[in-house]
Structure formats: structure tokens, C-alpha cells
């Protein structure tokens, strides 16, 4: 940006000097027609060089308001192509661009310059992703659609308690984890099974499980510490 500004200032100074020289010679009456033509060509060449520098060769473009505050910046630096929009106090409020992996993204900032929402299409695993941030910069809500048409909604901090909703063409599910990121409750539905499971606090213990299995077999299960399931209440195909 500094190099571009110095170039433009230099071109303006050169054009001003040439124009001043022409004015002096015209007033003195000593300017021949050939010299006048040469000076005109110099001014045209300077104008063309300036236009080329602004339009074709700039690595950064800055848009200022009447007060001189930056309101928008378009730049291409370190393989990132970014367009930033600024508020009245030259504070970043909106950014959009491409990462070095050609991942498009859109980021919104609050008045304290913290990112609060981001929409992008990551290269891996792919699919549009929406992240909503708290004022501490942590993602508290994420919505994502993967390449296999599976959608995921995650509520809560990834490091703490979460509620996650997952759905694709054949199955749907809801999981709830505690502050230690351990699974505590889950709902799972597929074409043949619908199960609600409540987990204990120990590593390998399922407290209770209520579901319909194999399309038409309802049961209430309790899993002991050893991991063996115990049918508390159930019905087979005969109804017992």
C-alpha cells in the first residue's frame, strides 16, 4: 500500500511539474509547437502509467470515506484473498475471502472486534459449516452439512457439555454429554430401531435403555456394571 501511494504521489508531482513548466513557457511566449506536443505526450504517458498501476498492479485496494477512515480493504497477501469491511471508527465488522486452500468464508465481528459468526465451506471433510461464537471466542453452536448429505447441529462448547443432533437419509439421533464430555443420554432412530439410552457416570455402564428393536420388539433394559444387559420389561413377537 505504501509503495502504491508513493508511486501515485510521484506521478502527480511529475504531472504538476510538467504542467507548471508548460504554463511558464506559454506565458513567456517562447514555447514552440513541437515542444508543446512533446509535453502533451509526457502528460498522457504519466496518466496511462498511473491508471495501470492502480488497476492492474496493486496488491491492495483501500476505500476511505470523506474523513479519511478506512471503510473497505481488498488485499491478496500470503495466498489469502480477503475483502474487509470497516465501521465508522475503522474497526473490522465483516470479512469475506478465500483461504490458501481455496476455502470460501464469511466472518462477522462484534464492536469489540471479536468474531461472532462464521460461514465457510472447508476443503476437508467438505460441506458448508456455520459457527456461532461466544464473546470468549469459543464455538457454542455449529451447523454443518457433509458431502454424504448428513446434517449435524452441535450446541455447547466442544470442551464441555454438548447437545448434538445428527441426521442423514437413514438415521437420526440426539446425544447429550456432560461437562467431562462423557455421553449421558442419547436418542437413536433408524428404519428398524428407536432407542432412548441413559448413561451412568462410570466409563462402561449403561443405566437404562428403552426402545423398540427389530421393528416390533419393545423392551426396557438395564445394563449392570459388568456390561451384561438385563431385560426388565419386554415383549417378543408373541406379545409376552
Amino acid at each position: 500500500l505504501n509503495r502504491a501511494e508513493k508511486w501515485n504521489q510521484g506521478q502527480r508531482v511529475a504531472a504538476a511539474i510538467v504542467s507548471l513548466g508548460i504554463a511558464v513557457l506559454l506565458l513567456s511566449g517562447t514555447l514552440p509547437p513541437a515542444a508543446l506536443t512533446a509535453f502533451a505526450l509526457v502528460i498522457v504517458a504519466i496518466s496511462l502509467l498511473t491508471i495501470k498501476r492502480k488497476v492492474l498492479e496493486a496488491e491492495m485496494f483501500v476505500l476511505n470515506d470523506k474523513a479519511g477512515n478506512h471503510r473497505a480493504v481488498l488485499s491478496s497477501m500470503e495466498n489469502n484473498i480477503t475483502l474487509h469491511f470497516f465501521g465508522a471508527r475503522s474497526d473490522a465488522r465483516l470479512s469475506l475471502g478465500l483461504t490458501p486452500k481455496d476455502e470460501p468464508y464469511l466472518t462477522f465481528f462484534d464492536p469489540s472486534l471479536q468474531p461472532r459468526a462464521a460461514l465457510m465451506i472447508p476443503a476437508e471433510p467438505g460441506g458448508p459449516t456455520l459457527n456461532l461464537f461466544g464473546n470468549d471466542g469459543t464455538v457454542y453452536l455449529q451447523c454443518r452439512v457433509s458431502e454424504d448429505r448428513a446434517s449435524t447441529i452441535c450446541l455447547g462448547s466442544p470442551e464441555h457439555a454438548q447437545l448434538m443432533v445428527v441426521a442423514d437419509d437413514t438415521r437420526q439421533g440426539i446425544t447429550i454429554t456432560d461437562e467431562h464430555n462423557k455421553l449421558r443420554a442419547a436418542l437413536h432412530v433408524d428404519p428398524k430401531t428407536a432407542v432412548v439410552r441413559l448413561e451412568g457416570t462410570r466409563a462402561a455402564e449403561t443405566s437404562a435403555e428403552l426402545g423398540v428393536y427389530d421393528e416390533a420388539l419393545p423392551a426396557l433394559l438395564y445394563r449392570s456394571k459388568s456390561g451384561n444387559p438385563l431385560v426388565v420389561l419386554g415383549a417378543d413377537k408373541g406379545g409376552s
Side-chain angles (χ1 to χ4, degrees), residues 119-153:
L119 175 64
M120 71 176 305
I121 302 180
E124 296 294 338
T129 301
L130 172 65
N131 290 323
L132 300 183
F133 304 87
N135 54 15
D136 58 352
T138 302
V139 177
Y140 285 96
L141 186 147
Q142 182 183 86
C143 303
R144 180 170 55 188
V145 178
S146 60
E147 293 180 346
D148 56 357
R149 297 186 298 179
S151 56
T152 303
I153 300 176

Side-chain angles (χ1 to χ4, degrees), residues 55-70:
V55 176
L56 299 179
E57 298 182 11
E59 296 180 357
M60 180 180 295
F61 176 77
V62 179
L63 178 64
N64 295 334
D65 58 18
K66 293 182 179 180
N69 299 317
H70 292 342

Side-chain angles (χ1 to χ4, degrees), residues 44-214:
V44 171
I46 292 175
S47 300
L48 291 176
L49 287 174
T50 304
I51 294 174
K52 180 180 178 182
R53 182 65 181 183
K54 287 182 179 179
V55 176
L56 299 179
E57 298 182 11
E59 296 180 357
M60 180 180 295
F61 176 77
V62 179
L63 178 64
N64 295 334
D65 58 18
K66 293 182 179 180
N69 299 317
H70 292 342
R71 301 307 301 269
V73 175
L74 175 63
S75 64
S76 175
M77 303 177 64
E78 298 180 356
N79 296 324
N80 285 300
I81 301 174
T82 307
L83 175 60
H84 298 285
F85 292 92
F86 298 87
R89 297 179 298 175
S90 295
D91 49 344
R93 303 307 301 271
L94 174 67
S95 296
L96 60 94
L98 290 174
T99 69
K101 295 182 179 180
D102 291 335
E103 299 169 318
Y105 67 90
L106 176 65
T107 306
F108 300 85
F109 300 87
D110 64 15
S112 63
L113 306 183
Q114 291 291 332
R116 300 305 300 268
L119 175 64
M120 71 176 305
I121 302 180
E124 296 294 338
T129 301
L130 172 65
N131 290 323
L132 300 183
F133 304 87
N135 54 15
D136 58 352
T138 302
V139 177
Y140 285 96
L141 186 147
Q142 182 183 86
C143 303
R144 180 170 55 188
V145 178
S146 60
E147 293 180 346
D148 56 357
R149 297 186 298 179
S151 56
T152 303
I153 300 176
C154 181
L155 302 173
S157 169
E159 294 80 13
H160 300 92
Q162 282 189 340
L163 185 150
M164 182 177 294
V165 181
V166 181
D168 59 23
D169 292 340
T170 60
R171 60 186 177 86
Q172 298 80 39
I174 299 175
T175 60
I176 302 176
T177 58
D178 60 15
E179 67 275 12
H180 303 294
N181 206 25
K182 182 185 182 302
L183 180 65
R184 298 300 305 277
L187 168 64
H188 173 78
V189 178
D190 60 33
K192 292 186 177 183
T193 306
V195 177
V196 177
R197 188 170 66 251
L198 303 179
E199 299 278 354
T201 57
R202 299 182 181 179
E205 179 183 1
T206 298
S207 299
E209 185 173 302
L210 173 65
V212 177
Y213 306 88
D214 196 17

